[in-house]
Amino acid sequence: MAALFMVFLFGMVRSFYHFCFTPMFMPFQPFTYHELNEYLSVSTSTSVIIDKSSDGDFLRIDFNVSFPALSCEFASVDVSDVLGTNRLNLTKTVRKFSIDSDLRPTGSEFHSGPATNVIKHDDKVDEESLEGAFVFTSDNFDKYAHQFPITAVNFYAPWCYWSQRLRPSWEKAAKIMRERYDPEMDGRLLMGKVDCTQEGDLCRRHHIQGYPSIRIFRRGSDVRNDHGNHDHESYYGDRDTDSLVKTMENLVASLPAEAQKLALDDKSNVTENAKRPAPSAGGCRIEGYVRVKKVPGNLVVSARSDAHSFDASQMNMSHVIHHLSFGRMVSPQVMSDVQRLIPYVGSSHDRLNGLSFINTDDLGANITMEHYLQIVKTEVITRKDYKLVEEYEYTAHSSVSHSLHIPVAKFHLELSPMQVLITENQKSFSHFITNVCAIIGGVFTVAGITESILHNTIRLMKKVELGKNF
């Protein structure tokens, strides 16, 4: 049997050689070349099936979004879904960078610091107002901030609940510190306050977006940097009188020895962790990733704090989306290879990239910006049952709406229960051989018939000629 097969294969190769290189059969060669090309090429079939993801699988969302008017100090990334998941202010996989209005970075990564417990306030509110804090205005702020080694300022709004709770403690602490370190005699510390409803330009200059904001300025370090911003610290610690006094004492103790005139008994540093660098600009670029369950939900970016109030009419959630994609990151090389095979794959996995959503003046205040995303999973399977790529494509519809609460940037996530399955197909070698044999056999048959007709015709013509001669 093996010998017979070898003889048959040799005959096929010989016939194929004559078929390809004999001028007589040249007109038929394109059929064979077409069959060979079809065998070597890869075709695909597309089907829509139920999403095969198992229960408990999570979907990764990668993002890089710039908010020109949202401070990193209060920027929060929240995730929720229909199953009751509600995670607020994610920080483990999220990074924040201060940016200016032109989206340029103004420094290194902004660190929010560890989460603190509930901020403590004085239990008793002194009904008798103590006016101990110096009143800063746009006209005198720079003068005094550069005159004193330490200047502590309470940026507040009279209507704010948290500002109202802080006011008695701040005034009392300011009075105590003024008695200990007289501004005119000692000259090391000045505690003051700024009413942001009256001094809006001054508050905006220092990127105040939440009330109250306690900022600490140090003479010699609160100079303007390359981007024209002041470098100073924010205080996030307890707001009772004792904590405020202890913090101010520690600030004075931190001054160089030659600048101190009084001996301080308590030089503990228990509140040092409550101070962190203040944002150097009014914008924030938020980048990173989160993992969500594969159910309808929301990804929300907003201003959030458990001890600050926000003026909703002044919040601007304009943003520029540099990158937003779902699922595992697909390398450009892999995506290029896939698109050569299936051109329409990957055209919508990052459709919001590079788009800007700006709150213009004609829209008014309290504007929430929403994006409704419908996400579909796509899998490409090779002919060897190897998963070439798994990616998620999405459609996006965006809108703006007036909000009764603090404006946010919201991404509504709607995952399709169906998925697209693209499978590579290739003809079998036996199918290719059968077709080639059929073509060769058909051509030889037609050639034989043609040769027989020509031969008989020539014989007939010769007979006719011989008949005429006789």
Side-chain angles (χ1 to χ4, degrees):
M1 289 297 295
L4 290 176
F5 177 76
M6 291 299 296
V7 171
F8 170 76
L9 186 61
F10 176 77
M12 286 295 303
V13 172
R14 183 179 179 185
S15 300
F16 187 75
Y17 174 81
H18 286 291
F19 179 76
C20 291
F21 294 99
T22 303
M24 175 182 177
F25 300 120
M26 288 292 288
F28 302 96
Q29 291 177 9
F31 297 101
T32 304
Y33 292 148
H34 172 74
E35 191 67 29
L36 178 62
N37 182 65
E38 188 174 354
Y39 167 72
L40 295 177
S41 63
V42 178
S43 62
T44 60
S45 60
T46 303
S47 57
V48 178
I49 62 174
I50 296 293
D51 190 349
K52 298 185 296 183
S53 301
S54 61
D55 186 23
D57 281 356
F58 286 85
L59 175 64
R60 172 169 169 152
I61 307 175
D62 287 270
F63 53 86
N64 186 339
V65 186
S66 290
F67 292 82
L70 175 63
S71 173
C72 288
E73 187 176 12
F74 301 112
S76 172
V77 177
D78 309 328
V79 170
S80 62
D81 60 40
V82 297
L83 296 181
T85 301
N86 193 24
R87 293 181 289 163
L88 305 178
N89 196 17
L90 301 176
T91 58
K92 187 175 181 179
T93 59
V94 177
R95 304 174 66 191
K96 297 185 285 187
F97 300 86
S98 293
I99 58 174
D100 59 19
S101 58
D102 295 323
L103 309 185
R104 296 176 301 183
T106 59
S108 57
E109 180 179 355
F110 181 88
H111 295 280
S112 300
T116 58
N117 297 325
V118 177
I119 293 179
K120 183 168 62 176
H121 293 76
D122 283 337
D123 295 330
K124 292 184 178 180
V125 178
D126 193 352
E127 297 296 336
E128 297 181 2
S129 298
L130 299 174
E131 296 297 334
F134 182 81
V135 178
F136 285 108
T137 65
S138 298
D139 297 330
N140 64 16
F141 186 87
D142 287 338
K143 173 185 175 182
Y144 287 102
H146 289 79
Q147 177 180 342
F148 289 84
I150 299 292
T151 305
V153 185
N154 171 25
F155 293 89
Y156 72 98
W159 52 263
C160 168
Y161 166 77
W162 296 107
S163 295
Q164 295 169 6
R165 292 200 63 181
L166 172 62
R167 181 178 181 275
S169 304
W170 186 261
E171 298 290 348
K172 187 175 180 180
K175 185 175 181 180
I176 294 173
M177 298 309 293
R178 188 174 61 186
E179 292 173 352
R180 293 184 184 180
Y181 308 99
D182 189 299
E184 296 182 0
M185 300 298 295
D186 185 88
R188 282 182 289 176
L189 174 71
L190 179 63
M191 291 182 65
K193 58 185 177 182
V194 176
D195 184 350
C196 287
T197 61
Q198 301 294 325
E199 302 292 338
D201 291 339
L202 180 59
C203 293
R204 281 189 291 272
R205 197 174 88 192
H206 294 289
H207 319 301
I208 305 300
Q209 295 183 3
Y211 311 109
S213 289
I214 301 175
R215 299 291 172 83
I216 300 168
F217 299 84
R218 299 173 185 266
R219 185 178 64 189
S221 64
D222 60 337
V223 294
R224 293 182 180 274
N225 57 22
D226 294 339
H227 298 278
N229 302 295
H230 284 276
D231 180 21
H232 49 277
E233 295 176 319
S234 290
Y235 173 76
Y236 301 99
D238 291 329
R239 298 174 182 172
D240 61 293
T241 303
D242 292 341
S243 297
L244 292 172
V245 170
K246 184 175 294 185
T247 299
M248 298 304 135
E249 293 279 14
N250 291 335
L251 289 172
V252 174
S254 66
L255 293 174
E258 60 271 13
Q260 299 187 29
K261 298 181 181 179
L262 299 177
L264 300 176
D265 296 331
D266 183 10
K267 296 185 179 181
S268 62
N269 202 28
V270 294
T271 59
E272 190 62 29
N273 290 332
K275 300 193 303 297
R276 296 191 296 275
S280 55
C284 190
R285 187 179 85 243
I286 306 174
E287 64 179 50
Y289 70 91
V290 296
R291 297 183 185 275
V292 299
K293 297 177 181 178
K294 292 188 175 182
V295 295
N298 299 299
L299 173 66
V300 180
V301 179
S302 63
R304 179 178 298 280
S305 174
D306 294 331
H308 294 81
S309 298
F310 303 97
D311 186 351
S313 64
Q314 299 298 319
M315 299 300 297
N316 186 342
M317 298 305 296
S318 298
H319 55 274
V320 178
I321 301 176
H322 305 293
H323 178 77
L324 178 67
S325 64
F326 300 87
R328 290 189 293 269
M329 297 290 289
V330 181
S331 67
Q333 180 62 42
V334 172
M335 184 57 67
S336 176
D337 294 341
V338 171
Q339 288 180 334
R340 281 200 297 268
L341 176 66
I342 312 163
Y344 57 84
V345 170
S347 59
S348 298
H349 79 284
D350 55 358
R351 62 183 305 125
L352 285 180
N353 287 14
L355 298 185
S356 302
F357 302 89
I358 307 300
N359 181 5
T360 56
D361 295 336
D362 57 333
L363 293 177
N366 294 39
I367 297 297
T368 284
M369 298 192 171
E370 300 184 77
H371 308 279
Y372 184 76
L373 310 181
Q374 293 178 301
I375 308 161
V376 180
K377 178 181 177 181
T378 301
E379 284 185 351
V380 179
I381 306 296
T382 67
R383 54 183 177 271
K384 296 181 180 180
D385 292 332
Y386 170 74
K387 186 185 295 184
L388 181 62
V389 68
E390 174 186 297
E391 56 112 20
Y392 290 79
E393 304 199 16
Y394 62 91
T395 61
H397 304 277
S398 305
S399 66
V400 297
S401 60
H402 288 272
S403 174
L404 297 177
H405 306 287
I406 300 298
V408 301
K410 181 179 291 188
F411 297 84
H412 299 276
L413 311 176
E414 185 74 29
L415 278 86
S416 172
M418 314 299 290
Q419 77 168 64
V420 177
L421 182 64
I422 302 173
T423 307
E424 291 184 0
N425 300 318
Q426 187 181 32
K427 290 184 178 179
S428 64
F429 182 73
S430 60
H431 185 273
F432 166 69
I433 289 295
T434 302
N435 283 4
V436 171
C437 290
I439 293 174
I440 294 175
V443 170
F444 272 100
T445 300
V446 172
I449 294 173
T450 303
E451 183 183 11
S452 177
I453 293 174
L454 291 175
H455 178 71
N456 291 330
T457 302
I458 292 173
R459 288 182 61 188
L460 181 61
M461 291 178 63
K462 286 184 177 181
K463 288 181 178 180
V464 171
E465 290 181 358
L466 290 174
K468 287 182 178 181
N469 294 331
F470 292 96

